[in-house]
Amino acid sequence: MPLSTDLSTDLADTTYKRVMLKISGEALMGDQGFGLHPPTVQRIAEEVKSVHDLGVEICMVIGGGNIFRGLSGSAQGMERTTADYMGMLATVMNALAMQSALESLDVFTRVISAIPMDQVCEPYIRRRAVRHLEKKRVCIFAAGTGNPYFTTDTAATLRANEMSCEAIFKGTKVDGVYDKDPVKFDDAKRYDTVSYDDVLAKRLGVMDASAIALARDNNLPIIVFSLDEPGGFRGILAGRGTYTKVQG
């Protein structure tokens, strides 16, 4: 999808002024099976910059599954709390990588961690984070909620509510929510809109149940779109593109 060259027109049509972008750690792997793929990180940073250039205030949460996933460690016999903390540290590494890529594009960025580590990023203070957004800095929230047993989906929904975001944008491998896995089933049907309750009842796998319930209770829409579609993030904000909207 070609991007509009008229920023003023796109900005006038932009539905949301402050959003949360949630992506998985696996999105940063590219074609690798593990770790960070710098060209992929740079491509995603360019997508974020294209939206930032519209004047939209952007929060981000990035998972850590490309480096370490707490549930996987727990399944292999590691104590769950320790495994979850290791997963939180993985999200900090991904956040720093994204910060580096964004700042190479002249986008001012702050990594804000739920676990204090002052030498590498800021601690989470809500009012300070809101001020960063008001100054048009991208805020990347790392280390989940700072507590074990909570996923980065829940952390993204929590921070989106605290930052008064108008929507969560969930970047995935597919262009929306389907009634079954579109990779495995040719007859899978995509929803244009779907309710929070249907996502929970049908176990559609948009986000974990805690995140969906938190979004539902605060009437926070979730936009599921393909992160692999060039210009997709910006196009949806300007009222174009293919996606599924989860709402009440």
Side-chain angles (χ1 to χ4, degrees), residues 184-200:
K184 297 178 180 177
F185 301 96
D186 293 335
D187 61 343
K189 296 181 179 179
R190 184 180 60 80
Y191 296 97
D192 288 327
T193 61
V194 63
S195 71
Y196 303 111
D197 289 338
D198 280 346
V199 168
L200 292 171

Side-chain angles (χ1 to χ4, degrees), residues 1-4 9-11 13-16 47-48 50-52 54 56 169 223 225-226 229-243:
M1 177 189 301
L3 297 180
S4 168
T9 300
D10 272 352
L11 183 55
D13 293 340
T14 297
T15 305
Y16 304 108
E47 291 279 332
V48 174
S50 74
V51 171
H52 182 267
L54 299 178
V56 178
F169 280 72
I223 312 295
F225 72 105
S226 173
E229 177 69 25
F233 185 24
R234 172 171 166 161
I236 293 167
L237 278 158
R240 303 184 297 272
T242 303
Y243 57 90

Side-chain angles (χ1 to χ4, degrees), residues 170-213:
K170 176 72 181 289
T172 69
K173 295 283 187 184
V174 294
D175 58 356
V177 180
Y178 286 78
D179 59 352
K180 48 191 166 184
D181 190 343
V183 176
K184 297 178 180 177
F185 301 96
D186 293 335
D187 61 343
K189 296 181 179 179
R190 184 180 60 80
Y191 296 97
D192 288 327
T193 61
V194 63
S195 71
Y196 303 111
D197 289 338
D198 280 346
V199 168
L200 292 171
K202 297 178 181 178
R203 301 190 177 190
L204 295 177
V206 176
M207 287 179 159
D208 68 76
S210 297
I212 295 296

Side-chain angles (χ1 to χ4, degrees), residues 72-92:
S72 298
S74 178
Q76 296 176 42
M78 185 176 292
E79 197 271 324
R80 174 65 189 271
T81 301
T82 299
D84 279 355
Y85 279 123
M86 291 174 66
M88 292 179 213
L89 296 177
T91 72
V92 177

